[in-house]
Each structure stands twice: as C-alpha cells, then as structure tokens.
Amino acid sequence: MMKRIRKAVFPVAGLGTRFLPATKSVPKELLPVVDRPLIQYAVDEAREAGIEQMIFITGRGKGAIEDYFDMAFEAEAIQRERGKDLSALDGTRLAPGDAVFLRQQEPLGLGHAIWCARDIVGSEPFAILLPDEFMKGPAGRGCLKQMVDAYEEVGGNLVCALEVPMAETPSYGVIDPGKRDGALTEVKGLVEKPAPGTAPSNLILPGRYILQPEVMKILETQEKGAGGEIQLTDAMASMIGQQPFHGVTFEGRRFDCGSKAGYIEANLALAFERADIGDHVRRFAAAELQGNWLDRAA
C-alpha cells in the first residue's frame, strides 16, 4: 500500500551571501515578499498539500527561523490588549511536534542537508521544498499539491520540472527525459549543472521533490560531486531504474528568490495582485518607467 506524504524537509542552512549585507543578521528565508517571509510561503504550500510535519535543516545564525514559528508572546499580548486584529499571524505558529529543527553543522551541500533529516523521515516517503524557489500556483493547487496529486497516481519519486532556455541549464540539475504523458515526464537520468551545450533537455529541477526513504541510504555514502558538495541530484540519479521516477511540469509561476532580480520580481508580482496596494504599486511602476515624478507621488 502506497504511503501518504506526511513530512517535508526545508533546507534553510545556507548563508544567503548574494543578499549581503541584509543577510548578515537576518536569514534569507525570512526576507519578506510584500509582508510574509519566504519560509512562510513554503510552509503554507506544504500545508496545502497535506504535510503534517515540517523538518527544518538550519545552521549557525538561523535561530530566528525557529523563533518565527513560535509564539511572539509580548507582541501578541500587547496587540490583544489594544483590540488589534491578530489574523496576520495565522499560520506563523506550528503546533508542538509539527516542527522539527535540526542543525547542519558543515556546509557540505544539499544532499548532506537532506541526510541530516534521516532519523525524522524514517521509513516514509517525504517532500523537499527549497524556500528561495518561490513557486506560485493556482489557488488551491500549489506546486507541492500538484506533485502530491501526481504521486497518488504513479508513486515512486517525483521532481518538479520546469522549462528554461537551454543557455540557463548549466546553473541547474537537468532531466534526461523519457516518455511524456500530459504533465508527467519519465525521468531516464539527471545531470547536475551540465557543461554548456551538453544538457539532455531544458527541463530543470526548481527545488521541489517527493522522494522515497531509500535515498537516505545512498546519501550516507554519497561522494562529493559538482562544486565539491554532496549533491542530492547524484543520489536521485542512483535511484532511477530501481523505482518509478517522474518529472511533474508545474502549472504556475516560479520566482528565483535566491537572486536579487527574481526576488524583486516576486515582490512586484504579488504586490500587483493585492487589493490593498495593487493599484498604487501599478501606478508607481508605470510612472517610474515613464520618469514622471508627479504621477509617482500620487
């Protein structure tokens, strides 16, 4: 009988050096898109997909992430005494036992970070979400929900698949595709950061996975790969042919919030959709493009 996906791993130990000096004291996962941090969007995506236990792989200097999902007793008490609305904090608390925080003590790569969760994952299939890959799907059908629905059809291992220009493939893990059936693509192989001109397709892995627990045994003895790190892609590639493996083409938009440009794009896109500030931000953006200072001040 196929086991349900109940657990998700969030690798949040990275230093966020591309966003220095902001990330000198603030984890990049707590940088806000409009008024909610990236990690909150990822957790909400996981909840929507039926995830019950969130496993955060942190590092030194990342204690603020743990604090974020705890009570803010003083702020909440003061707001309550003043009769203020606290609905903005909905979703920022995780019930006891629903949040697990583990420390990755050395920056040895994504594969090593996932391996750190082996005892919590146990013998269950699990999801992985990279919070700086901001995936915005249709209402009620976020990226992980789409993948869980596909998992319930085919089982095995699944990765999110996203088409990009071939010139961008050297920056990502890339799928060697087999048979396609709608949103599902058979995965024949995976290549981590292929040299320019050598990628087997333009389907990349944008940071969402559903994996069987056997990957942990592979990661336990996995040698370092591209970039001198223990690569999750290499471990997943070892499972191809042993278990079903598919890519799920994501219906929605992806913002690379690990880059400054992608982060600004995400803020603009979500701001435009907001009923409270959307019209103002659109006017500002239009005036900014036209260089009209008077319209900008309106």
Side-chain angles (χ1 to χ4, degrees), residues 12-15 23-30 58-67 103-104:
V12 293
L15 297 175
T23 49
K24 180 180 178 181
S25 59
V26 177
K28 69 174 180 178
E29 296 82 10
L30 291 181
T58 68
R60 285 182 293 278
K62 293 297 188 90
I65 296 175
E66 188 169 352
D67 292 340
R103 184 69 70 89
Q104 183 187 22

Side-chain angles (χ1 to χ4, degrees), residues 11-292:
V12 293
L15 297 175
T17 53
R18 285 187 285 180
F19 280 87
L20 286 171
T23 49
K24 180 180 178 181
S25 59
V26 177
K28 69 174 180 178
E29 296 82 10
L30 291 181
L31 295 178
V33 175
V34 184
D35 55 6
R36 297 164 70 200
L38 285 165
I39 191 64
Q40 182 70 63
Y41 287 102
V43 166
D44 290 346
E45 180 186 333
R47 279 173 159 162
E48 178 190 66
I51 299 299
E52 298 170 2
Q53 189 173 49
M54 317 291 170
I55 306 166
F56 301 90
I57 310 302
T58 68
R60 285 182 293 278
K62 293 297 188 90
I65 296 175
E66 188 169 352
D67 292 340
Y68 175 82
F69 288 107
D70 200 351
M71 291 180 63
F73 181 80
E74 291 182 355
E76 292 179 30
I78 291 171
Q79 291 290 83
R80 198 173 289 111
E81 287 174 6
R82 295 175 178 175
K84 299 291 186 179
D85 180 15
L86 292 174
S87 61
L89 297 179
D90 291 348
T92 63
R93 287 190 195 172
L94 295 176
D98 289 352
V100 178
F101 295 86
L102 302 171
R103 184 69 70 89
Q104 183 187 22
Q105 294 166 320
E106 297 180 80
L108 296 177
L110 178 59
H112 179 262
I114 301 306
W115 181 74
C116 290
R118 63 198 180 279
D119 290 336
I120 308 300
V121 166
S123 61
E124 297 185 42
F126 63 102
I128 301 170
L129 299 91
L130 307 189
D132 58 2
E133 291 282 3
F134 184 16
M135 312 294 281
K136 189 176 187 309
R141 291 200 70 240
C143 183
L144 191 60
K145 179 67 167 66
Q146 295 176 35
M147 294 179 66
V148 168
D149 289 347
Y151 170 82
E152 291 173 353
E153 291 182 28
V154 298
N157 302 276
L158 297 100
V159 293
C160 180
L162 187 75
E163 290 189 83
V164 300
M166 286 296 289
E168 295 181 13
T169 55
S171 299
Y172 300 98
V174 179
I175 292 173
D176 182 2
K179 184 176 67 175
R180 297 194 182 195
D181 181 12
L184 283 171
T185 300
E186 179 189 9
V187 177
K188 294 167 50 182
L190 296 168
V191 182
E192 180 64 27
K193 298 181 179 178
T198 66
S201 75
N202 67 334
L203 288 173
I204 67 159
L205 311 180
R208 297 292 186 274
Y209 316 83
I210 292 175
L211 299 178
Q212 296 299 315
E214 286 78 9
V215 73
M216 295 299 190
K217 285 292 185 184
I218 299 170
L219 288 169
E220 191 168 347
T221 57
Q222 181 77 42
E223 295 183 358
K224 293 180 180 179
E229 297 182 335
I230 298 173
Q231 295 290 347
L232 179 63
T233 303
D234 294 340
M236 291 191 298
S238 300
M239 300 170 73
I240 297 171
Q242 310 300 316
Q243 298 175 339
F245 216 118
H246 293 87
V248 181
T249 302
F250 170 53
E251 178 192 352
R253 298 182 67 187
R254 171 244 186 182
F255 300 94
D256 178 8
C257 289
S259 72
K260 295 184 182 73
Y263 177 69
I264 293 169
E265 288 171 1
N267 272 277
L268 284 172
L270 265 67
F272 287 161
E273 294 179 357
R274 292 274 295 255
D276 55 344
I277 61 173
D279 289 343
H280 176 87
V281 175
R282 282 192 200 90
R283 287 196 302 271
F284 175 85
E288 188 73 12
L289 289 171
Q290 296 169 9
N292 189 326

